[in-house]
């Protein structure tokens, strides 16, 4: 044992000595993929090794997580996961425990959503939408990019808190969902800012509220849902880094420090700020506590609203 421990310490100190693989559970070109590639560039410079982004979409991130768990626990295979990570824990029977089998490294970003409606609708506020929905139960609908995604659960939370009955229309991605909002075929949509800001600026859709605890700097005149009468309403998309259980603590710490340093670079700060994304870069303990809170929060909503997976 005395002979093994110095070798383990030396391996951690020399990490990384070869390229890293960053597994993203979503296709190229999406928000998670863009954030992963944006952060991987400064992280590569900080760590002194290339970071190869590998897209492995499917099953709400479960395929990507499974592939990372099958890799050696040495820090060279890293998962870049998003909001569905915690929802999977309460909506699916998984072959692994997302809390015990994956180690949280660092939360990379927070990203509030924006409740938007087609420009031709009469709604100018959340309260106007809610008033109509109460008077016309089941007549309003809302788009999402799949059951269990942030857009779906934000709408379910508003339905619960406001006491309204509206119809879920799931799509296979954010692009087709937004296309039908722009065409006026659905009544509302909780879009992420990366997808929605350009259409808001063009006047094709109208923002009613944002879902974070504070107003978005990029949309200072748009109130939060909490300001609109639903105290405590807080829904944010997030991205974060994970490694398999058994990865040495020193390696986890080094990766976490690289994430934090990357989120603080001027280019990352500017590019994320321009799209309404908040860089985070926290510690493994802080990220783990955040995830535990998210699992409790969304588990309660899934049970209260009887939400089922696709």
């Amino acid at each position: 044992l005395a002979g093994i421990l110095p070798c383990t310490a030396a391996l951690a100190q020399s990490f990384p000595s070869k390229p890293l693989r960053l597994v993203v559970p979503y296709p190229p070109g999406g928000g998670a993929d863009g954030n992963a590639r944006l952060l991987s560039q400064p992280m590569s410079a900080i760590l002194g090794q290339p970071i190869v982004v590998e897209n492995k979409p499917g099953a709400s991130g479960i395929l990507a997580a499974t592939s990372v768990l099958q890799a050696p626990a040495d820090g060279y295979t890293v998962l870049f996961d998003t909001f569905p990570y915690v929802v999977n824990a309460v909506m699916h029977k998984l072959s692994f425990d997302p809390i015990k089998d994956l180690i949280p490294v660092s939360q990379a970003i927070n990203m509030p959503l924006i409740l938007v409606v087609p420009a031709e609708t009469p709604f100018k506020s959340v309260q106007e939408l809610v008033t109509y929905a109460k008077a016309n139960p089941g007549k309003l609908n809302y788009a999402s990019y799949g059951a269990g995604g942030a857009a779906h659960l934000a709408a379910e939370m508003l339905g619960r808190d406001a006491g309204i009955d509206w119809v879920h229309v799931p799509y296979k991605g954010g692009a087709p969902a937004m296309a039908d909002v722009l065409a006026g075929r659905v009544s509302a949509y909780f879009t992420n800012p990366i997808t929605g800001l350009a259409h808001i600026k063009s006047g094709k859709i109208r923002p009613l509220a944002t879902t974070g605890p504070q107003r978005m700097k990029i949309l200072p005149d748009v109130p939060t849902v909490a300001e609109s009468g639903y105290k405590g309403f807080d829904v944010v998309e997030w991205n974060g880094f994970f490694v398999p259980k058994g990865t040495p603590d020193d390696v986890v710490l080094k990766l976490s420090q690289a994430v934090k340093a990357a989120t603080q670079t001027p280019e990352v700060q500017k590019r994320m700020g321009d799209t309404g994304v908040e860089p985070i870069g926290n510690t493994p303990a802080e990220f783990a506590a955040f995830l535990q809170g998210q699992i409790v929060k969304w588990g309660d909503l899934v049970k209260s609203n009887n939400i089922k997976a696709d």
Side-chain angles (χ1 to χ4, degrees):
L1 181 62
I4 292 171
L5 289 176
C7 294
T8 304
L11 284 171
Q13 289 171 4
S14 64
F15 175 86
S17 59
K18 62 181 182 180
L20 286 76
R21 184 166 64 105
L22 184 60
V23 181
V24 179
Y26 301 96
D33 177 71
N35 290 330
R37 292 178 190 276
L38 175 59
L39 288 165
S40 68
Q41 295 172 12
M43 285 180 65
S44 176
I46 292 160
L47 293 169
Q49 290 290 340
I51 297 177
V52 179
V53 176
E54 177 183 319
N55 300 93
K56 190 176 282 292
S60 298
I62 296 172
L63 290 181
T66 302
S67 74
V68 170
L69 286 170
Q70 292 170 346
D74 54 11
Y76 288 98
T77 303
V78 183
L79 176 68
F80 188 81
D81 215 337
T82 67
F83 183 94
Y85 176 92
V86 295
V87 180
N88 288 339
V90 297
M91 286 185 67
H92 295 276
K93 291 183 178 179
L94 303 176
S95 62
F96 61 92
D97 187 327
I99 298 303
K100 295 180 180 179
D101 294 338
L102 284 159
I103 299 173
V105 173
S106 182
Q107 183 183 353
I109 68 150
N110 263 344
M111 183 169 59
L113 304 180
I114 309 166
L115 174 58
V116 299
V117 294
E120 64 270 19
T121 64
F123 310 125
K124 302 292 195 303
S125 68
V126 174
Q127 283 297 351
E128 288 182 4
L129 182 145
V130 167
T131 298
Y132 179 89
K134 285 184 174 180
N136 300 274
K139 289 190 176 181
L140 283 186
N141 57 20
Y142 64 89
S144 87
Y145 37 84
H152 176 209
L153 294 189
E156 287 285 337
M157 180 175 282
L158 181 59
R160 181 194 67 185
D161 294 354
I164 61 173
D165 174 21
W166 56 347
V167 180
H168 179 208
V169 184
Y171 292 81
K172 291 184 178 181
M178 179 57 77
D180 272 9
V181 177
L182 293 168
R185 287 189 281 268
V186 287
S187 309
Y189 178 40
F190 282 89
T191 180
N192 69 54
I194 294 174
T195 303
L197 281 172
H199 300 302
I200 291 170
K201 291 177 181 177
S202 72
K204 294 178 180 178
I205 54 176
R206 180 183 304 122
L208 302 186
T210 58
T211 66
Q214 295 92 29
R215 293 191 183 197
M216 294 176 65
K217 292 179 182 178
I218 203 163
L219 293 172
D221 297 328
V222 178
T224 65
V225 176
E227 287 180 280
S228 303
Y230 303 97
K231 187 177 179 181
F233 193 102
D234 181 7
V235 181
V236 293
E237 284 269 22
W238 56 266
N239 296 168
F241 293 82
F242 300 82
V243 290
K245 178 181 68 176
T247 303
D249 291 344
D250 287 354
V251 171
V252 174
L253 180 58
K254 195 163 189 176
L255 287 168
S256 177
Q257 291 170 338
V259 175
K260 182 174 182 178
T263 61
Q264 294 175 347
T265 58
E267 181 182 4
V268 168
Q269 291 271 328
K270 183 180 187 309
R271 288 181 60 183
M272 287 191 173
D274 288 346
T275 54
V277 176
E278 178 191 3
I280 302 294
N282 57 13
T283 66
E286 289 168 336
F287 190 23
F290 169 81
L291 292 170
Q292 289 284 3
Q294 290 282 293
I295 286 174
V296 171
K297 177 178 185 173
W298 298 118
D300 289 345
L301 182 70
V302 165
K303 290 176 184 176
S304 68
N305 287 33
N306 194 29
I307 300 171
K308 304 294 185 183
D310 286 334

